[in-house]
Amino acid sequence: MRDILITLIIFGSLPLILRNPVNGVLMWVWISVMNPHTQSWGFAATFPFAFIVAIATLFSLASSRLPKTLPVSPITYTLIVLILWMNVTTLFAMFPETAYAQWSKVMKIMLMSLVTMMVIRTREDVHRLMWVLAMSLGYYGVKGGLFTIRSGGVDRVWGPEGTFIGDNNEIALALIMTIPLLRYLQLRSAGRWLRLGLGAAMLLSALAALGSYSRGALLAIAAMIVVMWSKSRHKLAGALLLAVLIPLALLFMPDRWGERMDSIGSYQADESAMGRINAWYMAWNLAKDRFFGGGFDIAEPRAFFLYAPDPHDIHAAHSIYFQALGEHGFVGLALYLLLLGLTWRSAAWIARHSLGRPELEWAQQLATMIQASFVGFAVGGAFLSLLYFDVPYYLMAVIIATRVLVAKRQHAARYAVQGELESRHPVVRQP
């Protein structure tokens, strides 16, 4: 039944996609982020839905009257340079076969990320994309939160198998990034029951993140909460609410959860933590030796034999930063950090130029919540190999589109004021 339902939804969307490529991007985001086919048990689990939607979206974009150019933004240009650099490092990859397999997957993500930046241009498009992102991940937040409550926090929360967020650590970080997005939708929703539902989804997503037993997630959610609270207009009420909810959530979790979180301070005795540090040393040494890095997928015995302190402890990078460093060298890491910095700076620009303007209140709220989401990603991503996780790139597209909209609004207001002044004080031209 689930297979049939998912198939009907996706194939039923094709006429809408051909009519407007924005619909194709929204459908692509839903498939790539939520992976609804993983919730089935039959033919839909392996059917190439993403490929079909991508082809339909590209055809719709090529045949539509929408602009075929990327928005002018330092974020866009930096992402393009990073993509080109990834192609260069692939030519010099240590393990060509595995590198090219991963290259194919990453380039598809990057292509559709650029398409998203190209077609998401209006406020309505931005709002719809935020709903798709929040609901795609919020589904797992609600499901995981209820599972944590039912099991008393004893069993771990896992994501959909075979996806970017399949591991317990990865789904936890994804849910932490989703909480600020849900908060934005809550702020922009008028219906009381809808607001309450979004609030419940936020709480359940936080509980699911705790129920993942991810130590990195605990640090990420703490950083994200601090940012959300600092950008709130009602800091006292927010502090009181957190003072009530946080102890209740921590008390709910069993002793084994507390013991795992306590191990953060004694990482030297934890095999998993030491394995990650060994992989970080390997990435650092490799990047110092190879200007172009090792290319995609370097968690191989040969790489660890050459560059790791312990050549027998083979781990993935478990860090977006060391993953970028090991796979694409210092240049790749610098480009990725620049990309994150430019996104933060653009979000700060939006928040600053929208503050105190009722017609741009939505933009100010959106920018600050995306900043909170990126803080969670930056902290939690320090312990996970999620360099190619697509959600941050979609949020970059949202920031680019929102900044353009705010800038246009500013120019329109400036010209309106100038026209009013000229009408009051006409310039008398000398003959």
Side-chain angles (χ1 to χ4, degrees):
M1 182 63 185
R2 293 187 184 185
D3 299 79
I4 296 174
L5 178 61
I6 293 170
T7 303
L8 289 176
I9 292 174
I10 294 176
F11 277 91
S13 71
L14 293 180
L16 299 176
I17 294 173
L18 296 175
R19 184 182 306 170
N20 189 341
V22 175
N23 296 328
V25 165
L26 297 177
M27 184 58 67
W28 166 268
V29 171
W30 178 58
I31 294 174
S32 64
V33 174
M34 182 181 174
N35 298 280
H37 53 284
T38 63
Q39 303 302 295
S40 63
W41 298 288
F43 68 90
T46 56
F47 198 83
F49 291 117
F51 176 77
I52 293 172
V53 169
I55 293 299
T57 302
L58 293 174
F59 178 80
S60 178
L61 178 62
S63 59
S64 72
R65 297 181 180 179
L66 291 176
K68 308 298 190 298
T69 57
L70 287 164
V72 178
S73 168
I75 300 174
T76 309
Y77 297 144
T78 303
L79 179 59
I80 291 174
V81 174
L82 177 59
I83 293 171
L84 293 175
W85 181 252
M86 288 178 181
N87 282 268
V88 172
T89 61
T90 303
L91 296 176
F92 298 89
M94 290 184 66
F95 311 102
E97 290 186 7
T98 56
Y100 282 116
Q102 180 70 355
W103 171 86
S104 176
K105 298 176 184 178
V106 173
M107 288 304 112
K108 292 173 185 176
I109 294 171
M110 295 302 169
L111 171 62
M112 294 307 295
S113 296
L114 292 174
V115 170
T116 302
M117 294 176 181
M118 190 179 297
V119 305
I120 298 296
R121 294 178 178 267
T122 68
R123 177 181 172 182
E124 180 184 2
D125 293 341
V126 167
H127 197 63
R128 290 166 65 195
L129 179 55
M130 292 299 294
W131 269 107
V132 172
L133 284 170
M135 293 299 101
S136 296
L137 293 173
Y139 165 80
Y140 295 110
V142 172
K143 181 180 177 181
L146 293 175
F147 174 78
T148 301
I149 293 173
R150 188 185 68 179
S151 68
V154 174
D155 297 324
R156 294 190 185 188
V157 172
W158 299 85
E161 187 177 353
T163 69
F164 271 119
I165 56 175
D167 185 73
N168 64 311
N169 299 292
E170 294 157 353
I171 186 62
L173 179 57
L175 295 179
I176 290 166
M177 292 183 66
T178 307
I179 291 172
L181 310 186
L182 291 167
R183 175 57 178 163
Y184 163 74
L185 295 175
Q186 186 186 49
L187 291 171
R188 304 311 306 170
S189 299
R192 179 172 177 268
W193 288 107
L194 180 57
R195 289 170 61 88
L196 290 174
L198 290 168
M202 292 166 60
L203 293 175
L204 289 171
S205 295
L207 194 58
L210 295 179
S212 70
Y213 280 68
S214 171
R215 292 166 294 188
L218 183 65
L219 300 176
I221 197 170
M224 181 270 295
I225 288 174
V226 169
V227 174
M228 288 185 65
W229 175 81
S230 68
K231 295 182 178 298
S232 172
R233 295 182 181 180
H234 310 286
K235 289 184 173 57
L236 179 59
L240 293 174
L241 183 63
L242 292 174
V244 173
L245 294 179
I246 292 177
L248 288 176
L250 297 180
L251 288 172
F252 175 79
M253 302 305 294
D255 292 340
R256 58 179 293 195
W257 181 89
E259 292 171 359
R260 181 165 176 79
M261 297 305 112
D262 289 340
S263 66
I264 294 175
S266 56
Y267 66 90
Q268 297 92 340
D270 188 277
E271 292 184 5
S272 175
M274 296 308 296
R276 295 183 184 192
I277 293 174
N278 187 60
W280 296 350
Y281 271 113
M282 187 278 288
W284 174 265
N285 293 331
L286 187 154
K288 288 195 299 180
D289 185 54
R290 297 171 60 95
F291 177 74
F292 297 103
F296 294 107
D297 275 358
I298 55 173
E300 297 286 344
R302 181 186 163 200
F304 277 79
F305 177 78
L306 292 173
Y307 300 110
D310 182 356
H312 303 291
D313 193 0
I314 302 171
H315 276 71
H318 286 296
S319 168
I320 55 175
Y321 310 113
F322 284 99
Q323 185 180 9
L325 178 64
E327 295 186 355
H328 308 294
F330 285 99
V331 174
L333 175 61
L335 288 170
Y336 186 66
L337 292 176
L338 178 61
L339 186 63
L340 295 179
L342 290 172
T343 304
W344 179 273
R345 184 179 178 183
S346 290
W349 184 94
I350 294 168
R352 185 169 63 254
H353 288 82
S354 303
L355 189 63
R357 302 181 62 179
E359 74 278 11
L360 292 176
E361 183 183 39
W362 69 273
Q364 189 267 339
Q365 293 170 341
L366 177 61
T368 54
M369 289 301 100
I370 288 181
Q371 281 185 314
S373 183
F374 265 96
V375 165
F377 177 70
V379 174
F383 311 100
L384 292 173
S385 300
L386 284 175
L387 179 62
Y388 313 114
F389 183 37
D390 42 5
V391 171
Y393 299 104
Y394 300 143
L395 292 179
M396 290 175 192
V398 170
I399 288 295
I400 292 171
T402 305
R403 176 158 184 168
V404 171
L405 292 171
V406 172
K408 286 182 178 179
R409 188 76 182 188
Q410 279 189 318
H411 292 159
R414 190 177 299 118
Y415 286 133
V417 171
Q418 183 179 351
E420 185 178 350
L421 291 175
E422 290 179 354
S423 64
R424 292 181 180 180
H425 306 283
V427 177
V428 179
R429 299 185 181 276
Q430 296 295 329

